Amino acid sequence: MEPSAATHADAPAPTRVEAPATGRLLREVPTLDAAAVAELAAKARAAQPGWEAAGLEARAAVFRNARKWVIDNAEDWLDTICSETGKTRDDGNVEVSVAAQSFGFWAKMAPKYLAEEKLRSLSPLAFGRKVAIRYSPVGVVGVIGPWNYPLVNAFCDCVPALMAGNSVVMKPSEVTPLSGLLVAEMMAECGLPDGVLQVATGGGETGAAVIDNCDFVMFTGSTRTGKRVMARAAETLTPVSLELGGKDPMIVCADADVERAANAATYYALNNAGQICISVERVYVEAPVYDSFVAKVLENVQGLRQGPPAGPGEVELGAITFEPQIETIERHVLDARERGASVVAGGRRRPGEGRFYEPTVLVDVDHTMKCMTEETFGPTIPIMKVADVDEAVRLANDSEYGLQASVYSRDMGKADGIARRLQAGAVTINDSQVNFTVFDAPMGGWKSSGIGVRHGPAGIRKYCRTQSILYTPFAPKRDVHMFPYRPWRSKLMSRVVRLLYGR
Ligand code: NAD
């Protein structure tokens, strides 16, 4: 299905979509200019009141259909996702299953999270009055996504926006727009009314036009672009939610189950070829278990298979989706080498067809190196020996980012204490990444990793305007604080205030 906007005769050149695993051209899609985006947004705006009026149950029914659709058509999804990202079938399957889970979650929980609330206020002026809080959709939500999870990190953020009664203009990454077009096809078949979801294909300028035409921006991508998005949105005072980059630390304590920690480091640093915002990007290991941890990680990495998307369970590592990303990975590894790190596995592009970087383990690393301080977003595991937990915490927090972190220890009390000292929006203990699928729990970055959260009650209420309504059912002709002022009443009011707060 093509984007639904008419493209103009002088429209920008189409966007070429290539298969990273082979370098071959898959398809060209239109690059929408500002006028075309405005047209899509106008259609979305026209469709929104009807969608809101349909009610939560009708909206939930569409997403229950979508949950089934995504599973019934999993093979089509895998073909599309894997071809345009180069990820393995197993990594693609993660997207399909997380999307299905997300559709069901929001269908079930949106009524609870958006239910009107009745307040029992502490204010003395609320005596005899009632207060209600309601959540009203903002109107048109713009969702701008990255290329690493073209289904989950673009459309799964549309789901709560749609469930709240908004219409959505979604702009997938120009690197992976085919999944976005398949989303439009899926949702039309699942009963989403015409116009409610618009897909705007194109690059940064298309994204800027989405910001100009919507009432709320949900952005997932790099910190650099996030700053631009916020600046642009400031021109129209459009609120934003930003899910940005990360440099997630993993801390392995001396009392950890070293085998589990090493297996987790291998998987959570290298799944999706390391192209995950919440990848393990750096590891700090207490000295007593450092050698055994490194040995186990190396053993794991040596057994990994890499190649183009193949059948289920056939390769562990896929391609690097975006050409400039492989250059960043190469730069970080080269910089580490030049500053004294040892590359004990991988450390180079895989020769031959396609865009692959070998799974790489770096030791003798420190914070003078980019691989420990800048987001690599690739299949690298830099491991640093630390003297103790205090050093690990200090180094973990020595970062502009604060997306996630993980702690490995057999002592849950100690691990909990470490978690609370870490500057990160989410911390996992004896685990990494799995919190993403715990949709009840909010997740969002601290520091340069973002603003706002996805998931949990706040993950849907952000797409709403909050309205509080105060009811005064039994109203006297005049309240004691109203005009005209009289000395006896002023004295009485002062006495009441003293009585209430002066003790
Ligand atoms: P990116 O910032 O280059 O692009 C993201 C999106 O922004 C794309 O759709 C792009 O077309 C659009 N865009 C570019 N310029 C724009 C502008 N001026 N105005 C509006 N939109 C514009 O990011 P990417 O390379 O696609 O993705 C990788 C980055 O995303 C990494 O930094 C990764 O950590 C981050 N990420 C974060 C999360 C999270 O949840 N925190 C999840 C996935 C990816």
Side-chain angles (χ1 to χ4, degrees):
M1 182 173 156
E2 296 302 327
S4 44
T7 45
H8 307 274
D10 57 353
T15 304
R16 290 167 59 86
V17 188
E18 286 172 5
T22 60
R24 281 194 279 276
L25 177 70
L26 288 170
R27 220 177 116 178
E28 291 188 338
V29 301
T31 303
L32 301 196
D33 62 12
V37 172
E39 223 174 277
L40 289 189
K43 285 187 191 162
R45 203 167 284 288
Q48 188 272 330
W51 176 238
E52 180 183 353
L56 272 160
E57 183 40 45
R59 300 200 287 271
V62 171
F63 280 103
R64 285 194 293 270
N65 294 342
R67 183 176 56 182
K68 180 162 170 15
W69 201 98
V70 84
I71 298 298
D72 288 349
N73 296 277
E75 285 305 308
D76 290 347
W77 268 114
L78 291 178
D79 289 345
T80 304
I81 293 171
C82 296
S83 63
E84 66 178 349
T85 61
K87 65 176 76 182
T88 66
R89 295 297 268 201
D90 294 81
D91 287 334
N93 249 324
V94 171
E95 289 224 50
V96 169
S97 57
V98 170
Q101 193 199 337
S102 155
F103 300 162
F105 174 83
W106 291 112
K108 179 158 188 220
M109 295 306 285
K112 181 175 169 213
Y113 292 157
L114 298 180
E116 199 162 305
E117 295 169 40
K118 298 271 186 278
L119 260 195
R120 285 174 65 88
S121 172
L122 286 178
S123 167
L125 283 186
F127 185 72
R129 297 177 167 95
K130 292 179 185 164
V131 182
I133 300 171
R134 63 181 283 268
Y135 301 99
S136 174
V138 293
V140 178
V141 173
V143 176
I144 301 173
W147 44 258
N148 64 330
Y149 278 84
L151 173 58
V152 165
N153 273 335
F155 188 57
C156 288
D157 285 315
C158 302
V159 179
L162 290 165
M163 273 305 301
N166 297 287
S167 53
V168 167
V169 180
M170 177 175 89
K171 196 206 84 64
S173 166
E174 61 273 39
V175 183
T176 55
L178 304 184
S179 300
L181 299 179
L182 187 54
V183 161
E185 195 179 316
M186 168 176 78
M187 293 313 293
E189 287 192 20
C190 292
L192 189 72
D194 207 26
V196 172
L197 173 70
Q198 303 286 342
V199 178
T201 50
E205 288 187 15
T206 310
V210 170
I211 298 167
D212 293 345
N213 285 281
C214 67
D215 305 307
F216 184 95
V217 182
M218 171 66 216
F219 172 82
T220 305
S222 63
T223 297
R224 199 182 42 174
T225 310
K227 289 178 184 173
R228 285 199 200 124
V229 167
M230 193 164 175
R232 182 91 179 201
E235 289 172 23
T236 47
L237 270 187
T238 303
V240 296
S241 185
L242 307 175
E243 296 287 342
L244 309 176
K247 187 74 190 168
D248 294 3
M250 172 177 182
I251 296 176
V252 182
C253 299
D255 67 347
D257 176 341
V258 173
E259 190 170 346
R260 170 159 180 88
N263 290 343
T266 312
Y267 179 68
Y268 292 116
L270 303 181
N271 59 341
N272 211 43
Q275 301 160 105
I276 306 185
C277 55
I278 53 175
S279 269
V280 170
E281 283 251 339
R282 50 195 170 121
V283 187
Y284 303 99
V285 187
E286 275 195 287
V289 292
Y290 175 82
D291 289 340
S292 53
F293 178 86
V294 171
K296 181 65 189 155
V297 168
L298 266 179
E299 182 195 322
N300 287 343
V301 167
Q302 270 144 16
L304 297 176
R305 298 157 296 175
Q306 183 170 40
E314 287 178 12
V315 280
E316 281 82 23
L317 272 87
I320 301 303
T321 303
F322 186 42
E323 173 62 30
Q325 200 61 49
I326 204 163
E327 290 159 13
T328 301
I329 301 164
E330 286 178 320
R331 213 171 42 247
H332 286 195
V333 173
L334 178 65
D335 169 77
R337 268 201 178 109
E338 285 175 353
R339 290 171 191 272
S342 308
V343 179
V344 287
R348 56 170 200 157
R349 268 183 203 234
R350 198 182 75 141
E353 195 185 51
R355 199 157 50 229
F356 295 87
Y357 197 89
E358 291 181 351
T360 297
V361 181
L362 297 156
V363 295
D364 303 325
V365 291
D366 61 41
H367 276 220
T368 63
M369 301 171 188
K370 292 182 197 300
C371 70
M372 295 301 278
T373 56
E374 295 179 19
E375 186 180 51
T376 306
F377 220 58
T380 56
I381 317 179
I383 309 173
M384 184 169 173
K385 189 194 289 186
V386 291
D388 53 27
V389 162
D390 285 345
E391 188 185 9
V393 170
R394 181 178 60 74
L395 290 168
N397 289 339
D398 177 28
S399 173
E400 70 159 308
Y401 295 110
L403 193 56
Q404 294 214 161
S406 47
V407 182
Y408 287 72
S409 164
R410 284 197 171 92
D411 180 339
M412 291 305 271
K414 177 174 121 185
D416 179 65
I418 297 170
R420 286 161 197 267
R421 293 167 66 194
L422 292 172
Q423 297 162 0
V427 184
T428 49
I429 295 173
N430 294 331
D431 243 318
S432 305
Q433 287 184 12
V434 287
N435 62 303
F436 188 94
T437 67
V438 183
F439 293 124
D440 324 60
M443 65 173 288
W446 292 6
K447 303 197 272 187
S448 293
S449 288
I451 289 178
V453 295
R454 55 159 66 103
H455 303 165
I460 187 164
R461 289 180 187 161
K462 70 184 178 186
Y463 295 123
C464 298
R465 294 190 172 101
T466 309
Q467 185 178 53
S468 58
I469 304 176
L470 183 140
Y471 305 85
T472 306
F474 306 109
K477 298 281 182 254
R478 177 187 293 139
D479 285 336
V480 69
H481 57 271
M482 289 178 179
F483 292 146
Y485 291 154
R486 292 281 179 266
W488 68 268
R489 270 196 284 154
S490 301
K491 280 185 199 144
L492 178 68
M493 297 272 284
S494 304
R495 222 169 279 152
V496 171
V497 169
R498 206 169 303 126
L499 196 69
L500 286 173
Y501 309 120
R503 280 171 294 162

